[in-house]
Amino acid sequence: IMIVTLFTSRVILDKLGISDYGLYNAVAGAVGLLSFLNNTLSKGTSRFLTFDLGQQNAARLKQTFSTAFYMHLCLALIIVIILETGGLWFINHQLLIPSERLFAAEWVYQISIFTAVISILQVPYVALIIAHEDMSIYAYISIFEVLGKLFVVYLLIHSPIDILIYYAVLIACMQLLVALIYLTFCKLKYIESKLKLTFEKSIFKEMLGFSGWNIIANLSETP
């Protein structure tokens, strides 16, 4: 994965060019600032799912997973609101973007928001796999994801539209495909992954408290 990532980074820089490569990282990076939430919430969700597995409490396990999913859904909606208001203002008024690339930058920003939402919603399924300690499938999907990004680099050679927008669309499609693989695997193997129309306030408060302290810890360790 490390070798392929190093190779793809170099090729992407070559295909996009210095200006578009920097523009993509600046615009998508505004959304990526929230990516640390994924790791924090994944740890918190895994912790509660693992505890319920150890207790062999199938009913509570289903409630915990459903509550975790709806919690992430609410978080995704909140992030969309923040990014479509304050974030959009920042992109249009604070970033120094060449006027001829503003249209592409706005498209990349919207696509990046979609990618971020997909990434957040897949967290409960990834956490469930980790809780069950099915690390082999987790490794296989990670390898598939990095090879998929290598294929994205190949597709950049023949871009039918603006190459910056095309790259953002391909990355979003790759993220969506990976999320669907996680979802499908969990649906086929874990009965608790079938969502129920339930939201346990007690579980939500516990998960929110645990994740909140994790977020503070992660922020304090960030240089």
Side-chain angles (χ1 to χ4, degrees), residues 34-35 37-38 41 68-69 71-77 79-80 113-125 175:
L34 301 171
S35 62
L37 288 173
N38 275 9
L41 294 173
F69 179 83
M71 178 179 173
H72 283 80
L73 180 60
C74 291
L75 175 64
L77 292 175
I79 287 177
V80 168
I113 292 175
F114 171 78
T115 306
V117 169
I118 297 299
S119 180
I120 291 171
L121 293 181
Q122 80 177 25
V123 168
Y125 297 97
Q175 184 65 56

Side-chain angles (χ1 to χ4, degrees), residues 73-198:
L73 180 60
C74 291
L75 175 64
L77 292 175
I78 292 172
I79 287 177
V80 168
I81 293 172
I82 293 173
L83 292 176
E84 290 290 3
T85 52
L88 196 58
W89 171 84
F90 179 78
I91 294 295
N92 288 323
H93 296 91
Q94 296 300 310
L95 285 184
L96 299 177
I97 301 174
S99 57
E100 68 273 11
R101 301 304 291 152
L102 186 59
F103 177 78
E106 290 176 345
W107 267 98
V108 169
Y109 183 71
Q110 296 298 331
I111 295 168
S112 296
I113 292 175
F114 171 78
T115 306
V117 169
I118 297 299
S119 180
I120 291 171
L121 293 181
Q122 80 177 25
V123 168
Y125 297 97
V126 176
L128 188 60
I129 291 174
I130 294 174
H132 279 277
E133 298 183 354
D134 279 332
M135 303 311 294
S136 59
I137 188 64
Y138 182 75
Y140 293 146
I141 295 176
S142 298
I143 293 173
F144 170 79
E145 183 175 5
V146 76
L147 291 177
K149 290 180 179 178
L150 182 61
F151 183 62
V152 165
V153 171
Y154 171 76
L155 292 177
L156 286 178
I157 298 174
H158 306 288
S159 175
I161 56 175
D162 184 286
I163 191 168
L164 187 59
I165 298 175
Y166 188 52
Y167 176 64
V169 169
L170 291 175
I171 292 296
C173 291
M174 192 65 219
Q175 184 65 56
L176 179 60
L177 179 59
V178 169
L180 289 174
I181 293 174
Y182 278 123
L183 186 149
T184 303
F185 177 82
C186 289
K187 292 290 185 184
L188 292 176
K189 190 166 185 181
Y190 312 129
I191 190 172
E192 63 270 17
S193 66
K194 296 180 179 179
L195 292 174
K196 298 175 62 179
L197 293 176
T198 179

